[in-house]
């Protein structure tokens, strides 16, 4: 549902503004506490760093990292209540305004199994979390999406454990009426982007079937892997490739797609904060409010656009 600017203004001022004023007062209070916390953490850290600098050049770095960690944890703790109130009192109403049939669960997430079976990020995920689950139907097409963070553990040369982020962003699951016998993956062509002519050489060494498509613009952004190249060509029609490209440019984020088990999985690597309130941006700014609606519409429009091409996907 795309609301006109005048309708957005009416909704913003008539229905949400009084509650936004209350939340803004809370945000300003948290900002003051965060500034005080920064001083409390920074001053001892600076003093300790100066004391240890003469003895060990690495210790000040560890002190700075610890101070940053303490500050980040403190700010996150201060923001917990503010986030909960924003999502319960503001964002849930935005979702209902966009489409009353959608169900919004602030603490819900896409099922970890669905994330794994997409085949986009490997089988081993050691830590998985998410929030802001929204599910329902657009027309006759079921859709579910949430913010997701997936991590793997690894050890460095000294045996110390670390975590690496495999994916952080919005993960979408939707369905089509066409059966897929095989798996087709569309992933960012980072090799082509950063390694130029060597990208294609490295891709051939991956041991997977790379599908070449007659679309230079698409192949500049993506590489396609498939069990069955013929089926991949039947799925990735010129119209669908144009729509995927348009989504990539519209989001400005790395985009991953998996056609598998009669489902379409879409991962938008946007950091997962599209629906999060910011400590440093006032909710009384209309452009901030409008951003939440635009991000939500951006996801829902994926299904709407694919619905326009239902005959391409349906069994006939």
């Amino acid at each position: 549902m795309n609301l006109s600017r005048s309708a957005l203004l009416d909704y913003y001022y008539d229905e949400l503004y009084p509650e936004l004023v209350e939340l803004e007062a809370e945000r300003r209070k948290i900002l003051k506490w965060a500034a005080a916390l920064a001083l409390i953490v920074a001053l001892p850290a600076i003093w300790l760093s100066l004391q240890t600098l003469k003895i060990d050049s690495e210790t000040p770095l560890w002190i700075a990292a610890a101070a940053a960690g303490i500050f980040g944890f403190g700010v996150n703790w201060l923001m917990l209540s503010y986030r909960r109130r924003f999502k319960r009192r503001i964002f849930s109403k935005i979702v209902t305004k966009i489409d009353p049939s959608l169900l919004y669960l602030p603490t819900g997430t896409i099922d970890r199994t669905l994330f794994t079976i997409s085949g986009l990020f490997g089988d081993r995920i050691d830590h998985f979390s998410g929030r802001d689950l929204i599910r329902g139907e657009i027309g006759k097409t079921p859709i579910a999406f949430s913010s997701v963070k997936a991590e793997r553990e690894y050890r460095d040369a000294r045996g110390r454990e670390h975590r690496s982020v495999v994916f952080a962003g919005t993960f979408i699951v939707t369905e089509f009426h066409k059966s897929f016998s095989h798996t087709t993956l569309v992933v960012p062509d980072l090799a082509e982007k950063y390694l130029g002519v060597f990208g294609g050489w490295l891709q051939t060494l991956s041991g997977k079937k790379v599908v070449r498509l007659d679309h230079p613009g698409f192949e500049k952004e993506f590489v396609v892997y498939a069990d069955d190249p013929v089926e991949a060509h039947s799925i990735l029609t010129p119209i669908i490739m144009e729509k995927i490209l348009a989504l990539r440019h519209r989001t400005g984020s790395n985009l991953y797609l998996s056609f598998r088990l009669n489902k379409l999985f879409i991962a938008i690597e946007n950091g997962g904060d599209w629906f999060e309130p910011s400590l440093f941006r006032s909710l009384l700014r209309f452009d901030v409010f409008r951003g939440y609606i635009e991000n939500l519409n951006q996801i829902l429009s994926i299904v709407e656009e694919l619905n326009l091409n239902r005959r391409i996907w349906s069994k006939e």
Side-chain angles (χ1 to χ4, degrees):
M1 177 182 177
N2 290 307
L3 300 173
S4 66
R5 181 178 175 81
S6 60
L8 278 176
L9 283 168
D10 289 342
Y11 180 61
Y12 175 72
Y13 284 109
D14 295 344
E15 299 188 38
L16 298 181
Y17 199 78
E19 293 188 81
L20 288 171
V21 169
E22 291 183 22
L23 283 171
E24 175 62 12
E26 184 176 349
R27 185 191 71 85
R28 288 176 177 271
K29 188 182 297 184
I30 294 171
L31 198 57
K32 291 179 181 179
W33 277 105
L37 179 63
L39 287 175
I40 292 171
V41 172
L43 292 178
I46 292 171
W47 183 83
L48 283 172
S49 296
L50 292 174
Q51 296 300 312
T52 58
L53 186 60
K54 301 173 183 178
I55 304 172
D56 183 2
S57 60
E58 287 190 9
T59 302
L61 296 177
W62 287 106
I63 293 173
I70 293 170
F71 177 73
F73 177 83
V75 170
N76 188 59
W77 182 81
L78 290 171
M79 286 285 288
L80 282 176
S81 176
Y82 176 65
R83 287 194 187 101
R84 281 197 295 263
R85 292 188 185 188
F86 167 78
K87 291 180 179 182
R88 185 178 70 250
R89 297 167 60 181
I90 303 299
F91 189 69
S92 62
K93 293 181 180 178
I94 291 176
V95 173
T96 301
K97 184 68 174 177
I98 295 294
D99 189 333
S101 69
L102 294 174
L103 175 65
Y104 171 53
L105 301 172
T107 59
T109 184
I110 286 292
D111 190 273
R112 179 174 181 161
T113 303
L114 289 174
F115 182 84
T116 303
I117 67 173
S118 72
L120 289 169
F121 302 102
D123 295 329
R124 193 186 129 227
I125 300 296
D126 297 315
H127 300 276
F128 184 87
S129 60
R131 59 185 182 273
D132 298 322
L133 174 65
I134 298 175
R135 65 181 183 221
E137 291 188 353
I138 306 299
K140 295 182 179 180
T141 304
I143 185 173
F145 57 92
S146 75
S147 297
V148 161
K149 185 176 183 180
E151 299 172 294
R152 286 196 190 101
E153 292 180 351
Y154 70 95
R155 293 182 180 272
D156 62 19
R158 297 183 180 180
R160 295 174 297 192
E161 290 188 356
H162 300 275
R163 290 186 185 184
S164 63
V165 176
V166 177
F167 174 77
T170 302
F171 194 80
I172 306 165
V173 182
T174 187
E175 295 181 357
F176 291 98
H177 298 296
K178 178 177 180 178
S179 297
F180 306 129
S181 301
H182 304 280
T183 298
T184 297
L185 304 179
V186 180
V187 299
D189 194 350
L190 301 179
E192 182 73 20
K193 186 164 300 209
Y194 297 115
L195 299 174
V197 295
F198 293 101
W201 176 68
L202 289 176
Q203 288 164 3
T204 60
L205 296 181
S206 66
K208 299 178 181 179
K209 296 177 182 177
V210 178
V211 180
R212 298 300 178 187
L213 301 163
D214 190 19
H215 194 310
F218 189 86
E219 291 199 319
K220 184 178 179 181
E221 294 286 345
F222 300 100
V223 59
V224 177
Y225 297 100
D227 298 328
D228 184 348
V230 174
E231 185 177 77
H233 278 93
S234 71
I235 291 172
L236 296 170
T237 64
I239 293 175
I240 295 302
M241 285 191 286
E242 286 295 333
K243 290 185 179 299
I244 293 173
L245 266 179
L247 178 62
R248 162 71 180 90
H249 295 148
R250 201 161 62 236
T251 61
S253 304
N254 285 332
L255 198 64
Y256 304 77
L257 299 94
S258 169
F259 298 85
R260 191 177 193 188
L261 302 176
N262 301 327
K263 296 183 183 294
L264 169 59
F265 304 90
I266 304 174
I268 305 173
E269 200 170 32
N270 54 27
D273 59 355
W274 270 8
F275 306 133
E276 290 296 309
S278 171
L279 178 60
F280 304 104
R281 291 187 302 171
S282 171
L283 291 173
L284 299 183
R285 286 172 47 188
F286 178 71
D287 62 314
V288 173
F289 163 77
R290 185 175 57 190
Y292 294 113
I293 290 182
E294 289 177 347
N295 287 337
L296 183 55
N297 270 329
Q298 194 157 239
I299 295 172
L300 298 177
S301 68
I302 296 171
V303 173
E304 292 172 351
E305 289 178 3
L306 291 173
N307 272 334
L308 296 177
N309 297 282
R310 177 57 58 187
R311 285 170 295 179
I312 294 176
W313 300 94
S314 62
K315 292 181 180 179
E316 291 183 347

